[in-house]
Amino acid sequence: MSDFCRRTSTRPLWLQPSSKEQTRLNSHDSMGNKDHRRQKDGSSGGGSSGSSSSSTYSAFRQWRRSTSIGSHSNRSNSAGSRSSSSFTKLPNDPATLRKMEQFPLVLSDATMPDEDLSLKFLALNALDLTAPASDVLLKNRLKSWFQLSGHPDGFAPAGPGTVWKRKTGGAENTERLVYETLSKEEALRDCIPRYYREVEYKGDTFIELQDLLFGFNDPHVMDIKMGTRTFLESEVSKTTARPDLYQKMIAVDPDAPTQLEHEQRAVTKLRYMQFREQQSSTCSHGFRIEAMKLPGAPPITDLKKVKSHSEVLDTIRQFLGRREDTRQKILARLRNLRTKIEKSKYFETHEVIGSSIFIIYDSEKVGVWLIDFAKTREVPDGRKLTHRRPWEEGNHEEGFLYGLDNLISTIEEVCLST
């Protein structure tokens, strides 16, 4: 889902509807629950229109399953004669069929129960299919929805409480695989956004995730990128010095290159990446604050040069305001997350590069989640990581827990009384 704010890396854009839009979505959801109950108990409660809605949904679901692949293929094969009888209920007019064909193709549906799928269909069907449902949701972004970081076209609302995030992690689709794996770990599933499914729409592949901002009222939001290293070893394996990276370096600090680099007017990718990370608190603290949003204000995205400990303290103090109770709740959640990661066999054997901790709170609730897994990789040769040791090329340590230790101690240090 990678960074919140407009950055060069791909990061979650979590979206939040306005209170007016939330009311509309809730009414759709309420309608969906009622209609779904009618399906279950067999009563239409509304004459032929209720029966028509139920039969249309049943036909639609069988039709979508017959055109889906992956986890849906088995279920559609087992549908048997039910599928053929349902197809007789599909509308015959070409215009409606064309619209139905533009619903996203489900590639993976590991954790979305039928109840969620049916409610989503009913909510979308309430749009009367006047336009392809996904087009309506992808294009009608409300001004009240905000993105902290990442590519502006990387996310889109998918329905009440969920977002689509464009596929990241290369051909192997790493992020989906990580979400599917962690969703099955009882200890960790509550520490990440809920993963629903993978879909294909108009040639693009998306994963559907829980919208973490859904249900919060004008919250405080902070996105913190974790680790002392935010690049994969494979990204810096080439040792060729590059003039373009030299130009980027001197644009930030003309005195940064060595005498030899000035003479060559070129630097290696590793040298440039390490230089870039030294501009923030990544190297010293093992985390850097990517972006922040305070109630009633636009996102603050110029935080990449928050480097010194006093600057980090001031930024976190600004985020927390005078909310001592909130500070304690955030600390409790961060400590709980640390304990679970320390005990996790998955984290013991995987480097977690470029992931973030996402913190949200409003006047009533506090949330802390781990997000962004496009650069998570299993370490080779049966190695086991501490996530605290310094990185040396080949050891795959990324300093995630080192950064989490420092984040916790920094928040503990923040004084909110003045």
Side-chain angles (χ1 to χ4, degrees):
M1 133 127 120
S2 7
D3 310 291
F4 276 78
C5 306
R6 296 175 180 259
R7 307 178 44 226
T8 54
S9 44
T10 52
R11 155 79 43 104
L13 128 160
W14 306 96
L15 306 168
Q16 182 181 30
S18 63
S19 57
K20 183 177 180 180
E21 177 69 2
Q22 183 61 61
T23 300
R24 184 182 71 79
L25 292 176
N26 286 343
S27 68
H28 282 170
D29 198 40
S30 175
M31 176 202 70
N33 275 301
K34 292 177 182 177
D35 286 353
H36 190 59
R37 285 195 294 270
R38 291 187 192 121
Q39 293 174 27
K40 284 189 173 182
D41 62 20
S43 65
S44 67
S48 60
S49 63
S51 174
S52 174
S53 174
S54 176
S55 64
T56 300
Y57 165 69
S58 176
F60 172 81
R61 182 155 72 176
Q62 293 298 336
W63 174 78
R64 284 309 295 157
R65 287 180 175 180
S66 73
T67 59
S68 297
I69 59 176
S71 63
H72 266 205
S73 60
N74 292 333
R75 286 186 284 176
S76 62
N77 290 338
S78 66
S81 59
R82 276 186 308 145
S83 177
S84 59
S85 64
S86 295
F87 276 118
T88 63
K89 301 174 185 177
L90 277 171
N92 293 322
D93 62 292
T96 300
L97 288 174
R98 278 196 300 272
K99 290 173 182 175
M100 293 180 75
E101 286 171 356
Q102 294 191 65
F103 276 78
L105 177 68
V106 177
L107 303 178
S108 169
D109 195 3
T111 63
M112 174 176 276
D114 283 348
E115 288 77 7
D116 286 355
L117 186 60
S118 64
L119 292 178
K120 180 156 294 191
F121 170 80
L122 290 165
L124 298 180
N125 195 49
L127 299 170
D128 295 326
L129 290 178
T130 53
S134 295
D135 279 347
V136 172
L137 293 171
L138 283 167
K139 293 178 180 177
N140 291 344
R141 298 187 181 189
L142 304 177
K143 292 181 180 179
S144 58
W145 297 56
F146 67 87
Q147 176 179 356
L148 270 184
S149 64
H151 292 301
D153 60 348
F155 288 79
T162 67
V163 293
W164 280 5
K165 181 181 180 184
R166 197 176 300 276
K167 173 182 173 180
T168 56
E172 62 273 22
N173 205 354
T174 300
E175 190 153 42
R176 174 179 66 81
L177 297 175
V178 176
Y179 271 116
E180 287 185 346
T181 300
L182 294 182
S183 294
K184 296 171 185 176
E185 289 202 15
E186 186 175 352
L188 288 168
R189 65 171 62 128
D190 292 335
C191 300
I192 61 172
R194 184 180 178 189
Y195 167 79
Y196 286 95
R197 58 180 184 163
E198 181 181 50
V199 299
E200 182 182 289
Y201 181 69
K202 291 189 175 181
D204 278 328
T205 303
F206 301 84
I207 57 174
E208 187 168 341
L209 299 170
Q210 174 190 358
D211 176 2
L212 296 180
L213 293 176
F214 189 81
F216 284 87
N217 182 28
D218 198 12
H220 295 68
V221 185
M222 180 174 279
D223 178 12
I224 306 169
K225 184 178 282 291
M226 302 301 297
T228 55
R229 170 173 61 96
T230 60
F231 54 86
L232 292 167
E233 292 189 3
S234 59
E235 293 180 282
V236 295
S237 58
K238 293 182 179 180
T239 58
T240 304
R242 292 170 46 180
D244 61 320
L245 297 180
Y246 171 81
Q247 292 298 328
K248 288 184 177 181
M249 180 182 285
I250 62 175
V252 176
D253 183 356
D255 298 324
T258 64
Q259 182 177 348
L260 178 60
E261 288 168 342
H262 275 306
E263 292 172 358
Q264 295 178 335
R265 300 187 65 81
V267 297
T268 65
K269 180 73 175 290
L270 174 59
R271 172 80 168 95
Y272 174 73
M273 295 298 288
Q274 291 178 323
F275 160 77
R276 192 179 70 173
E277 295 191 341
Q278 288 167 356
Q279 304 307 301
S280 69
S281 59
T282 289
C283 294
S284 58
H285 288 64
F287 69 86
R288 70 171 180 250
I289 300 171
E290 287 288 299
M292 175 172 69
K293 186 182 184 303
L294 305 178
I300 302 170
T301 61
D302 57 345
L303 299 174
K304 296 183 183 65
K305 290 192 176 181
V306 172
K307 180 178 181 179
S308 70
H309 190 60
S310 61
E311 290 173 330
V312 173
L313 282 172
D314 287 343
T315 305
I316 292 177
R317 185 181 296 110
Q318 181 185 7
F319 176 67
L320 293 173
R322 297 179 179 272
R323 296 289 299 271
E324 176 61 25
D325 59 330
T326 297
R327 185 174 78 103
Q328 293 301 329
K329 290 176 182 178
I330 290 173
L331 282 170
R333 283 163 173 75
L334 289 173
R335 291 172 186 140
N336 181 54
L337 176 62
R338 178 171 61 184
T339 298
K340 290 180 176 180
I341 291 175
E342 287 174 331
K343 294 179 179 179
S344 169
K345 296 297 183 183
Y346 183 88
F347 278 87
E348 190 176 52
T349 56
H350 287 75
E351 57 180 325
V352 186
I353 304 294
S355 290
S356 286
I357 287 177
F358 196 56
I359 302 175
I360 314 173
Y361 76 89
D362 61 14
S363 59
E364 298 179 355
K365 300 183 293 296
V366 172
V368 174
W369 289 273
L370 180 59
I371 60 174
D372 296 346
F373 301 104
K375 292 185 177 182
T376 295
R377 299 287 188 275
E378 184 174 10
V379 294
D381 305 323
R383 292 174 180 264
K384 294 183 179 180
L385 302 180
T386 68
H387 302 284
R388 289 187 170 99
R389 283 177 22 213
W391 174 63
E392 298 174 0
E393 193 167 356
N395 74 359
H396 296 278
E397 294 282 357
E398 84 297 81
F400 185 97
L401 283 175
Y402 171 79
L404 186 50
D405 291 338
N406 283 328
L407 178 60
I408 290 171
S409 64
T410 301
I411 296 177
E412 288 173 337
E413 187 181 345
V414 170
C415 178
L416 303 180
S417 60
T418 59

